[in-house]
Amino acid sequence: MHGVPKPRTLLTLDSLSGEQIADLLDRAERLATLAPSARRERLIGRTLATVFFEPSTRTRISFQLAARRLGMDVVDLDVGTASISKGETDSDTLRTLAAMGVDVFVVRHRRDGALAALADSLPPDVALISAGEGRSQHPTQGLLDMLTLRQAKGRDFSRLTVTITGDIRHSRVARSDLHALRRLGCGNIRLCAPPTLLPDPDEFPECQRFEDFDSAVVGADALFMLRLQRERMTEGLVPSVEHYFRDYGLNAVRLARAAPDAVVMHPGPINRGVEIADEVADGPRAAILDQVRNGVAVRMAVLEWLLGVGAG
Ligand code: CP
């Protein structure tokens, strides 16, 4: 991050170079190894607010823990009981909290484009981080996935084959992962899904596309599984959970077709018996809880970076 101006938002990974992404991952690893006493005053006096218009466990709690571990004050807006229910707009809500002294907002929103509009409405010294927006971006998930992959497979992504499987068409995680993988030089990216859940061919033209999961798994170094969003079944995009698991569920037999030391990742929450079998989710190749653990470290790094604190 040397010589890079302090940004005010992290809404997407699109504006980050491979070097900037790698620097953020390095910073996250350093912060993770610091003693609590060496961390807890780094952002003291700053305030973070989490504002989630969609449910979350991992992202919401890990941002709160990351901020507290760096000494920040943390407030959480319960959207269900806030004055939004009385008709206050999203932007008036955030500006009201900013007037109380919030320095950083972490916001999850269902609508693509909502966060850029919110950022524009905030005072220039207030930061905004996406905690997942529509189907377009989930930047800190992309970063923590890259850190987990790097810890499992080393820094040279050019020799890796990564297979991303599931509802790629509607996945903000897949879009952030794909951007980061390409920026970090990943050599071979495979996209696998039923035809109704594959993205448009012109969205990721450099990736190989598969409808047959058994073929997409062969020799892969990393298997990124995505959550099947159950509303896709009511939309008729998937015939049934049983069909989906039969054709696209990762079980031990399929995992045996991947590289012998393949790592299995999933952003969570997992649907056991839908996109992943228990034997794989709880098995030795799964890095799902490493992803969760890395989420706290990556979010500490992002908070320091946006607030212009700490060594690059
Ligand atoms: N991966 C992820 O975003 O999980 P949560 O919805 O629990 O935050």
Side-chain angles (χ1 to χ4, degrees), residues 168-225:
I168 301 164
R169 174 177 280 272
H170 304 97
S171 174
R172 56 196 177 206
V173 173
R175 286 183 175 78
S176 288
D177 281 346
L178 279 159
H179 181 79
L181 285 167
R182 289 181 296 184
R183 279 285 199 269
L184 293 171
C186 183
N188 187 11
I189 305 173
R190 301 172 180 169
L191 307 181
C192 179
T196 49
L197 299 181
L198 276 170
D200 291 335
D202 55 358
E203 194 177 0
F204 305 109
E206 73 285 11
C207 298
Q208 288 181 274
R209 295 160 65 89
F210 292 78
E211 291 173 20
D212 177 38
F213 188 33
D214 291 306
S215 304
V217 165
V218 173
D221 301 294
L223 299 167
F224 284 25
M225 306 304 295

Side-chain angles (χ1 to χ4, degrees), residues 38-90:
R39 281 197 301 241
R40 64 176 168 239
E41 297 196 353
R42 291 171 78 93
L43 294 182
I44 202 157
R46 310 295 189 98
T47 300
L48 175 133
T50 46
V51 181
F52 278 60
F53 294 92
E54 288 185 325
S56 168
T57 297
R58 280 149 283 272
T59 312
R60 185 180 195 142
I61 301 297
S62 62
F63 261 116
Q64 293 173 355
L65 286 174
R68 288 199 176 99
R69 287 177 189 175
L70 295 172
M72 297 180 79
D73 293 326
V74 175
V75 292
D76 179 63
L77 185 78
D78 178 353
V79 169
T81 58
S83 290
I84 290 168
S85 60
K86 294 189 268 185
E88 190 164 46
T89 65
D90 299 350

Side-chain angles (χ1 to χ4, degrees), residues 138-300:
H138 192 344
T140 56
Q141 182 72 44
L143 292 172
L144 73 89
D145 287 347
M146 295 309 108
L147 181 55
T148 308
L149 182 62
R150 194 174 85 170
Q151 288 171 348
K153 295 285 157 197
R155 299 179 83 97
D156 180 6
F157 281 20
S158 67
R159 59 183 184 78
L160 295 182
T161 295
V162 175
T163 299
I164 302 177
T165 303
D167 185 2
I168 301 164
R169 174 177 280 272
H170 304 97
S171 174
R172 56 196 177 206
V173 173
R175 286 183 175 78
S176 288
D177 281 346
L178 279 159
H179 181 79
L181 285 167
R182 289 181 296 184
R183 279 285 199 269
L184 293 171
C186 183
N188 187 11
I189 305 173
R190 301 172 180 169
L191 307 181
C192 179
T196 49
L197 299 181
L198 276 170
D200 291 335
D202 55 358
E203 194 177 0
F204 305 109
E206 73 285 11
C207 298
Q208 288 181 274
R209 295 160 65 89
F210 292 78
E211 291 173 20
D212 177 38
F213 188 33
D214 291 306
S215 304
V217 165
V218 173
D221 301 294
L223 299 167
F224 284 25
M225 306 304 295
L226 298 173
R227 183 172 68 89
L228 182 68
Q229 299 170 45
R230 287 173 186 265
E231 60 271 28
R232 305 302 165 217
M233 272 165 294
T234 55
E235 290 173 13
L237 298 179
V238 178
S240 71
V241 164
E242 293 74 23
H243 277 88
Y244 187 84
F245 186 60
R246 183 195 67 196
D247 294 342
Y248 294 97
L250 184 59
N251 56 28
V253 173
R254 286 192 167 122
L255 180 56
R257 299 167 68 89
D261 56 351
V263 63
V264 176
M265 293 170 43
H266 190 302
I270 59 175
N271 291 311
R272 291 171 181 268
V274 180
E275 64 261 357
I276 192 163
D278 289 344
E279 67 210 16
V280 177
D282 302 327
R285 312 268 277 285
I288 298 168
L289 293 179
D290 296 327
Q291 291 171 266
V292 175
R293 194 171 302 109
N294 283 331
V296 180
V298 156
R299 286 161 180 142
M300 285 195 287

